[in-house]
Amino acid sequence: MTPTSSLAAPLALPCGATLRNRIAKSALSEQLGTRAHGPDHRLVTLYDRWARSGAGLLITGNVMVDGRALGEPRNVAVEDDRHLPRLREWATAAKTGGTHAWMQINHPGRQVPRNLSNTPVAPSAIPVTGMAGAFGTPRALEHDEILDLIRRFGTTAGIAIRAGFTGVQIHAAHGYLISQFLSPLTNQRTDEWGGDAVRRRRFLLEIVAAVRAEVGPGTPVGVKINSADFQRGGFTEDESLAVVAELADAGVDLLEISGGTYEAPALMLGNPKASTVAREAYFLDFARKVREQVTIPIMLTGGFRTGSVMADAVTGGDIDVVGLGRPMVLEPDLPARILNGDAAASNTRPRRIGVAKLDAAAELTWHTTQLWRMGDAKEPDARQHPLVGIARYASAAGLDTLRRPLRRGQY
């Protein structure tokens, strides 16, 4: 028995599928879509690399369910079969060697950059604050539009499975549309989609039902949810626990716990004053509360760096799967090295510039530009300065703003 042997154990999911081990690559927004918002060939290259990482599960970056609503200029959007051949290439590459590959499906809601849409949609017409005007004031969704979005989540999930992905994950965290419906700060409706906690979570539960109807009972369906959004008057741990209980009843196969929003980026920056364990597993205390309440398999993402800490979280029964994000960017073979005993911990370190308002952006852009390197079949560049990442990211985004990607009507 090695200190990390618990990480090598397979995990049987409620639907009957089995993950070969307890390490997953959590979703990272690759921004490697084509100008038509299909998967670029670089996504195939990137996931072929990660499929050999040793991880038992790869979860893609957020794939949008509506091409009119993008969180970033180069998101992939899946609405119909137009990109099916390249989606199949992507899924095939990601499954190399028996790795599970799940497509994360999402809608940004109000978190659409202003250069992509001046008037995005959301549960209520409440803008993102503290982001220097990066996002426009949203328009509140109409009832029929909400029903259409629920249908779109189901449609995208069905296409993902037909393309060869082995499961799907519904993104209900980080301040995107489903998270906006869950939060009393961003959902101030008084109809059947808001007004109290029960109605605020109806949108998510209806999406889970629509997705399950499309993919069938034997296909893994995961949900990524915030432990809290860390904003006064927002989505709380108590509300999150109530949502978790209903997700368990709805037959979700894997619950990924995360936290924060663009306005309060808990996942991106963590808590440098916390204990070592808390620094490595930002939301472990909440995971323990979930474990006391439901038996649903739990994946925890946020801060894990040391193999022994990962193993202890699994061995102790607090969680079932360790989610790794940024460490998989700098060290794409980290899971294999941890499982083989060749690495005790990740060498990943913060990529910040010392300006509080820009540190989250520095982290994001540094890691995103490293994904682009791997998509070009290059090695990650640990020496790249965070300011270089910001400049490269801004340059690429600037080129894309010359063309609005919205089609078939604008939000």
Side-chain angles (χ1 to χ4, degrees):
M1 295 288 288
T2 67
T4 58
S5 58
S6 61
L7 298 175
L11 174 65
L13 300 176
C15 67
T18 299
L19 305 182
R20 65 180 180 179
N21 62 48
R22 306 302 184 92
I23 300 179
K25 183 207 77 70
S26 59
L28 298 163
S29 186
E30 310 94 353
Q31 298 182 57
L32 287 174
T34 66
R35 288 185 177 272
H37 308 299
D40 187 84
H41 69 90
R42 291 174 294 174
L43 275 172
V44 178
T45 301
L46 175 61
Y47 277 81
D48 180 74
R49 177 78 176 274
W50 272 331
R52 295 171 172 81
S53 68
L57 169 63
L58 304 179
I59 303 176
T60 74
N62 48 357
V63 171
M64 298 303 173
V65 302
D66 190 336
R68 299 169 299 174
L70 305 174
E72 294 123 345
R74 288 297 181 95
N75 284 150
V76 173
V78 175
E79 304 172 272
D80 50 39
D81 289 347
R82 77 185 74 180
H83 302 304
L84 196 55
R86 183 53 61 82
L87 287 170
R88 285 176 172 151
E89 290 182 43
W90 185 11
T92 298
K95 294 185 297 182
T96 301
T99 302
H100 262 267
W102 296 4
M103 180 186 287
Q104 185 187 77
I105 56 178
N106 190 19
H107 187 293
R110 66 179 187 162
Q111 291 180 172
V112 176
R114 190 183 292 275
N115 61 291
L116 297 182
S117 176
N118 287 322
T119 311
V121 295
S124 303
I126 298 170
V128 179
T129 61
M131 298 295 290
F135 306 102
T137 299
R139 171 180 63 78
L141 284 159
E142 300 290 340
H143 174 76
D144 288 346
E145 291 177 311
I146 294 172
L147 296 179
D148 178 65
L149 287 171
I150 293 168
R151 178 194 60 77
R152 284 175 176 273
F153 273 91
T155 296
T156 301
I159 295 168
I161 302 308
R162 290 202 303 276
F165 287 92
T166 60
V168 293
Q169 183 191 65
I170 300 164
H171 197 341
H174 300 172
Y176 293 111
L177 182 63
I178 299 175
S179 181
Q180 291 161 32
F181 268 91
L182 292 170
S183 172
L185 283 180
T186 49
N187 183 353
Q188 297 183 5
R189 305 176 73 98
T190 57
D191 60 4
E192 58 264 56
W193 305 103
D196 56 38
V198 172
R199 286 180 285 174
R200 286 197 301 273
R201 56 183 176 257
R202 180 186 172 193
F203 184 60
L204 169 58
L205 295 172
E206 293 277 1
I207 287 172
V208 170
V211 167
R212 179 59 78 191
E214 283 285 338
V215 304
T219 298
V221 174
V223 171
K224 184 171 189 169
I225 191 169
N226 277 357
S227 59
D229 60 23
F230 304 102
Q231 293 176 280
R232 186 183 300 276
F235 188 59
T236 65
E237 282 196 0
D238 286 344
E239 284 197 33
S240 187
L241 286 170
V243 174
V244 166
E246 295 209 39
L247 291 173
D249 290 342
V252 167
D253 294 291
L254 185 64
L255 180 77
E256 182 181 359
I257 295 170
S258 190
T261 67
Y262 281 16
E263 295 167 315
L267 179 63
M268 188 63 68
L269 298 178
N271 181 3
K273 297 181 180 179
S275 69
T276 300
V277 173
R279 272 203 308 273
E280 287 213 17
Y282 302 157
F283 314 111
L284 184 58
D285 285 344
F286 180 75
R288 290 169 174 154
K289 294 177 183 178
V290 172
R291 177 64 82 211
E292 291 173 358
Q293 181 170 307
V294 298
T295 59
I296 185 174
I298 299 170
M299 172 176 163
L300 184 62
T301 299
F304 280 113
R305 298 292 182 270
T306 306
S308 60
V309 173
M310 300 176 200
D312 286 348
V314 174
T315 304
D318 296 322
I319 65 172
D320 301 284
V321 179
V322 171
L324 299 179
R326 282 172 280 174
M328 296 285 287
V329 176
L330 182 62
E331 302 165 279
D333 60 346
L334 181 64
R337 291 194 294 118
I338 287 177
L339 292 169
N340 294 336
D342 296 330
S346 169
N347 294 318
T348 299
R349 59 179 177 80
R351 305 288 173 166
R352 303 174 187 173
I353 58 178
V355 179
K357 292 184 178 181
L358 295 178
D359 278 343
E363 289 274 2
L364 170 68
T365 56
W366 191 91
H367 288 89
T368 301
T369 53
Q370 298 300 320
L371 297 184
W372 296 350
R373 286 183 60 86
M374 285 196 286
D376 288 329
K378 298 177 181 178
E379 290 297 311
D381 181 6
R383 299 169 300 174
Q384 177 180 293
H385 193 279
L387 286 175
V388 174
I390 290 175
R392 289 177 177 170
Y393 186 95
S395 176
L399 291 174
D400 278 343
T401 61
L402 297 176
R403 171 186 179 276
R404 283 192 178 276
L406 307 184
R407 60 183 184 276
R408 296 203 306 274
Q410 292 190 356
Y411 276 150

